[in-house]
Amino acid sequence: MKKNPPLIASDLVVAYPRRATASEHEIASQEAMAARLAALLGRRFDPHFRPTRHRDEPPPYYVPDRTIIGAIRAARLGITRPADLYGGVAPHSFVAGKAITHGLVTAQARAPKAWVHELGDALRDVVLNGYTAFTVADAEAAGLQLLRQGPLRLKPVDATAGRGQVVVRNADELRAALAEQGPLVMRRLGLVLEEDLQDVSTYSVGWARVGKMEISYVGTQSLTPDNQGIPVYGGSVLRVARGGFDDLRALDLNEHERQAVALACQYDTAVSTAYPQLLASRRNYDVAFGQSPSGQPRAGVLEQSWRAGGASLAELAAMQAFALSPSLMSVRAATRERYGEQEPRPIPQHLVYHGVDSAVGHISKWAGVLEEDADGGA
């Protein structure tokens, strides 16, 4: 019997899938990441890829703009392992968002069938005080309970860059804020209600693998006013190590950096245990440090990301630096986003987008390596 020839790996890297609502700066970021990943993998970036045009060809390496939901959908794209994409595959839509960070307000509260109730207890010591709700009634009960300790932050789980969040200080404000939420989205994805901190610093902790290249990092995020004056994500500065978290811990990290890494690793372990179907080549966690209304220091993981995100261009810039210099063990890399027409243009080779975006207005985005790190210079 004649044997079938072995499957030849595709030489393509593609920015796909993409949301139909993706705006110009989001498309530019996704395509910039795909182009950099193609260079790292020694492949070819195809900006015009469509599955219907490549139906009989080996699957490409994917750079999706969101977490892919469900193993069946992933398999249809040819994604069966973390090495097939830059991002992740979650077993259920609610697992991909902020909802899994907190437990339910009561054992009788509504939740999706696949919800793992034990995860809330496993995460209790590594997150802030809060609850996830899938109905307005449960959200109100959770909010009233949290308001006994002070103001709370209401967080739609499908929003990014800090948009859509509302600080609530009393029962009337809570009910008004809940009236603005879509019940169908809440039922499917959940709504997070969480204690509101003062004097907050947000750290990013992450890990990624592309081909044989593995990195881990910790860094800080910044806020910037958007074109309406609302504070939103403004970029990250990352301390990036070649290798895994043990290599990152070997660097000269400060107390908050070490604590952020420890909290993120505990969060990752708990979630991976609760949802073992999860697969990801890129894992990112936001960790907040601040003060409670009574002045007590508080710290906890806010959310996870298993998709290409705000810090990803910095991650890839670090990988490129490591690829070019095999003796280099750590670098500092950064991404930056600024709004408004008066923002000066950055160094051209670091520029990702500069122009008027149909969704957010005038925005500039760039990323690159800042310097070789003192712990691991060439």
Side-chain angles (χ1 to χ4, degrees), residues 127-330:
V127 301
L128 303 179
N129 294 330
Y131 298 102
T132 292
F134 291 89
T135 69
V136 173
D138 289 338
E140 183 174 347
L144 291 175
Q145 186 161 323
L146 286 170
L147 284 171
R148 296 173 184 171
Q149 281 75 49
L152 65 88
R153 185 172 292 268
L154 189 148
K155 302 165 66 173
V157 302
D158 57 342
T160 60
R163 300 183 187 275
Q165 299 185 11
V166 179
V167 176
V168 170
R169 296 172 177 81
N170 56 55
D172 288 339
E173 291 183 357
L174 172 64
R175 295 185 182 99
L178 291 177
E180 298 296 320
Q181 304 303 311
L184 294 179
V185 174
M186 191 187 306
R187 189 179 308 155
R188 184 170 63 92
L189 300 178
L191 178 72
V192 167
L193 301 97
E194 189 175 75
E195 64 176 315
D196 184 51
L197 301 185
Q198 305 299 313
D199 301 322
V200 178
S201 297
T202 304
Y203 284 71
S204 290
V205 178
W207 170 92
R209 183 190 293 275
V210 175
K212 295 182 179 180
M213 176 72 70
E214 179 185 13
I215 65 165
S216 55
Y217 61 84
V218 61
T220 54
Q221 296 182 19
S222 63
L223 297 177
T224 191
D226 68 6
N227 289 307
Q228 285 71 49
I230 300 171
V232 297
Y233 175 76
S236 301
V237 178
L238 307 179
R239 185 88 170 275
V240 188
R242 184 195 294 267
F245 283 116
D246 286 343
D247 299 285
L248 180 63
R249 293 188 189 97
L251 302 182
D252 183 22
L253 305 181
N254 64 40
E255 181 180 351
H256 272 185
E257 289 172 334
R258 291 194 179 279
Q259 187 178 355
V261 172
L263 291 172
C265 288
Q266 291 174 340
Y267 185 107
D268 181 85
T269 298
V271 172
S272 298
T273 300
Y275 297 99
Q277 313 94 321
L278 172 72
L279 64 87
S281 64
R282 191 259 181 184
R283 297 169 183 250
N284 175 272
Y285 302 92
D286 290 348
V287 183
F289 291 84
Q291 292 185 343
S292 69
S294 62
Q296 296 299 311
R298 300 284 294 129
V301 179
L302 300 176
E303 61 181 305
Q304 80 293 338
S305 174
W306 298 305
R307 59 172 178 82
S312 291
L313 286 163
E315 298 162 13
L316 297 179
M319 288 188 187
Q320 289 176 316
F322 292 142
L324 291 170
S325 180
S327 63
L328 188 63
M329 301 307 295
S330 65

Side-chain angles (χ1 to χ4, degrees), residues 16-170:
Y16 183 89
R18 176 180 293 154
R19 290 174 292 112
T21 57
S23 66
E24 294 87 349
H25 84 277
E26 293 170 327
I27 292 171
S29 296
Q30 188 184 9
E31 293 190 346
M33 285 185 277
R36 295 184 186 192
L37 283 159
L40 283 166
L41 292 165
R43 302 189 187 187
R44 177 169 56 91
F45 169 49
D46 182 357
H48 307 296
F49 174 85
R50 293 294 181 274
T52 53
R53 300 176 190 169
H54 300 77
R55 190 168 290 156
D56 299 324
E57 300 178 16
Y61 181 91
Y62 290 96
V63 187
D65 69 350
R66 60 192 181 279
T67 305
I68 295 174
I69 306 302
I72 293 176
R73 185 184 181 204
R76 287 175 182 157
L77 294 171
I79 299 170
T80 60
R81 55 185 185 148
D84 294 331
L85 81 166
Y86 188 72
V89 178
H92 310 284
S93 56
F94 66 82
V95 177
K98 303 176 181 69
I100 59 172
T101 297
H102 297 291
L104 308 177
V105 65
T106 67
Q108 294 74 36
R110 296 286 297 273
K113 185 177 180 180
W115 182 261
V116 176
H117 292 266
E118 295 79 11
L119 180 58
D121 291 333
L123 292 176
R124 195 180 309 279
D125 292 336
V126 299
V127 301
L128 303 179
N129 294 330
Y131 298 102
T132 292
F134 291 89
T135 69
V136 173
D138 289 338
E140 183 174 347
L144 291 175
Q145 186 161 323
L146 286 170
L147 284 171
R148 296 173 184 171
Q149 281 75 49
L152 65 88
R153 185 172 292 268
L154 189 148
K155 302 165 66 173
V157 302
D158 57 342
T160 60
R163 300 183 187 275
Q165 299 185 11
V166 179
V167 176
V168 170
R169 296 172 177 81
N170 56 55

